[in-house]
Amino acid sequence: MITDSDIQETINMNTVDFNKPAKGIYKTNKAKDFHSAEHLLCLVISELMEAVEADREGRTFNDMGCTSDFEHFYRDESKLGFKEAFELNIKDTVSDKLANAVMRILDTAGVLGLQLKEIDKDNNFDYYATKDDFIKHSFTENVFHIIDRYFRSSEIISNRMSRMIFHINILCEVMDIDLLRHVDLKLRYNSLSPHKHSKWY
């Protein structure tokens, strides 16, 4: 696992406190030359759209099935090494792209110095109403509503960003995706990547 204590900080999805991970992700990405707030806000939407494309192409990772793909991933890791196993099993799947979106939000919070809001899903009407909506609708409709709610909200930006993470996590629950594990694995993978991940931006 990654050794950066800020990134390694556990995120509890019942009472969501993303502030320490946000600072850690920002520090890591700044070292890779990803640190413009406007740039990162655009990439949040880009990652969600890439998740839609991955869903359209059937690039999924079976987190919670009877035979979990994580078993295959860890088996491949023992044979091939972490980077190769990640690229073979996880990279560019729906799960990976949703994890990327959350990381971009956290990074943007780090750039802007925002204090993200803790959201308790227990007895939270928004949690139950959103989960019910996500069960009823398609993946594309759900991603659209996550983005739409962000831009239509009158809340301050830190609260909107916190709620967007909250909604992405609810979507992952509905899809049986272990979001925290995917964030952790992607952080580990990114720590092995070259400057700017070999991209222009």
Side-chain angles (χ1 to χ4, degrees), residues 6 9 12 16-17 31-32 34 42 50 61 72 89 91 95 109-110 113 138-139 143 148 155 165 169 183 185 195:
D6 288 325
E9 183 74 17
N12 183 336
V16 184
D17 181 5
K32 301 288 185 183
F34 291 133
C42 179
E50 288 184 19
F61 185 89
H72 300 292
N89 292 277
K91 192 172 187 299
S95 308
S138 69
F139 182 75
V143 170
D148 186 54
E155 291 185 297
I165 294 172
N169 185 58
V183 168
L185 290 171
H195 183 68

Side-chain angles (χ1 to χ4, degrees), residues 104-127:
R104 294 296 185 192
I105 298 169
L106 296 176
D107 196 12
T108 303
V111 170
L112 299 177
L114 298 175
Q115 185 75 12
L116 296 177
K117 178 183 178 183
E118 293 187 22
I119 302 176
D120 187 348
K121 77 178 183 181
D122 294 330
N123 302 313
N124 185 312
F125 175 77
D126 182 49
Y127 168 75

Side-chain angles (χ1 to χ4, degrees), residues 147-199:
I147 297 169
D148 186 54
R149 288 175 190 180
Y150 176 87
F151 286 107
R152 286 181 182 272
S153 174
S154 59
E155 291 185 297
I156 60 174
I157 188 170
S158 58
N159 287 1
R160 282 187 284 153
M161 290 169 67
S162 300
R163 195 162 298 281
M164 187 180 238
I165 294 172
F166 190 58
H167 288 158
I168 291 171
N169 185 58
I170 295 170
L171 177 59
C172 286
E173 283 187 16
V174 169
M175 299 180 69
D176 288 334
I177 291 172
D178 188 340
L179 179 60
L180 292 185
R181 191 185 295 196
H182 280 285
V183 168
D184 184 53
L185 290 171
K186 191 54 180 278
L187 285 169
R188 184 179 169 192
Y189 178 78
N190 284 351
S191 71
L192 303 174
S193 299
H195 183 68
K196 290 189 179 181
H197 306 319
S198 299
K199 298 179 181 179

